[in-house]
Amino acid sequence: MVPSPHISAPLGFPDLKLSVPYADAIRYAQFRLLMLAKGELKSFCEQHELPYTSIVGLKNNSLKREEPRLLQRLLRSLAVDTEVIRIPPNSQSPRFLFPTVEALTTFQQQLKCFDSGNPPLPESEAPTGGAESPTP
């Protein structure tokens, strides 16, 4: 008997320390969507086969209910790999599970920058502190 290519590894219990709540995931996605240049959202949605109207609703926080699967697809399109989990199983709001500590740390650092309103700029683009010339 030939094994099916669709068989995946056994599903283990997730490491909950690698998860974030829906609210953090949607806030991150909204910030990332705001980073797109004006007029680029439609082509982004077409390129990633995302429903434009729903993504606009997500971006503007006007969706009538949580859309965890749509949010997961969007995050993956933004190179943020997550899985949707419900812990506890009867919870109303899902959590987003990251594959590694590094992925979670990067997500949290970026979200912190977005929340602060001061994303760090590369050294070459950072504004200088003044017009003082160095002393010899």
Side-chain angles (χ1 to χ4, degrees):
M1 179 178 209
V2 177
S4 169
H6 301 291
I7 295 176
S8 61
L11 184 62
F13 194 80
D15 183 353
L16 301 179
K17 293 181 285 190
L18 297 178
S19 70
V20 297
Y22 181 88
D24 287 356
I26 197 162
R27 202 167 77 248
Y28 178 90
Q30 289 166 338
F31 281 121
R32 289 286 304 271
L33 290 173
L34 289 170
M35 292 171 65
L36 292 173
K38 190 166 182 85
E40 291 295 315
L41 184 58
K42 189 165 197 142
S43 62
F44 172 82
C45 289
E46 289 171 358
Q47 178 184 359
H48 295 281
E49 298 179 356
L50 295 166
Y52 176 72
T53 304
S54 296
I55 295 298
V56 168
L58 188 147
K59 176 184 172 188
N60 297 332
N61 206 25
S62 63
L63 294 176
K64 296 191 184 338
R65 65 180 191 275
E66 290 183 348
E67 295 286 349
R69 294 292 175 204
L70 174 63
L71 181 53
Q72 180 187 28
R73 286 179 55 208
L74 173 59
L75 288 172
R76 286 183 175 173
S77 296
L78 296 169
V80 180
D81 193 27
T82 62
E83 294 296 327
V84 177
I85 60 171
R86 288 196 184 274
I87 297 290
N90 61 351
S91 67
Q92 294 297 312
S93 192
R95 294 186 68 83
F96 289 79
L97 182 68
F98 288 81
T100 64
V101 172
E102 293 79 15
L104 174 61
T105 300
T106 298
F107 172 88
Q108 290 173 328
Q109 288 172 341
Q110 290 176 356
L111 187 59
K112 186 176 180 179
C113 287
F114 294 147
D115 286 340
S116 74
N118 295 317
L121 298 173
E123 292 300 319
S124 62
E125 296 179 34
T128 57
E132 301 173 12
S133 61
T135 56

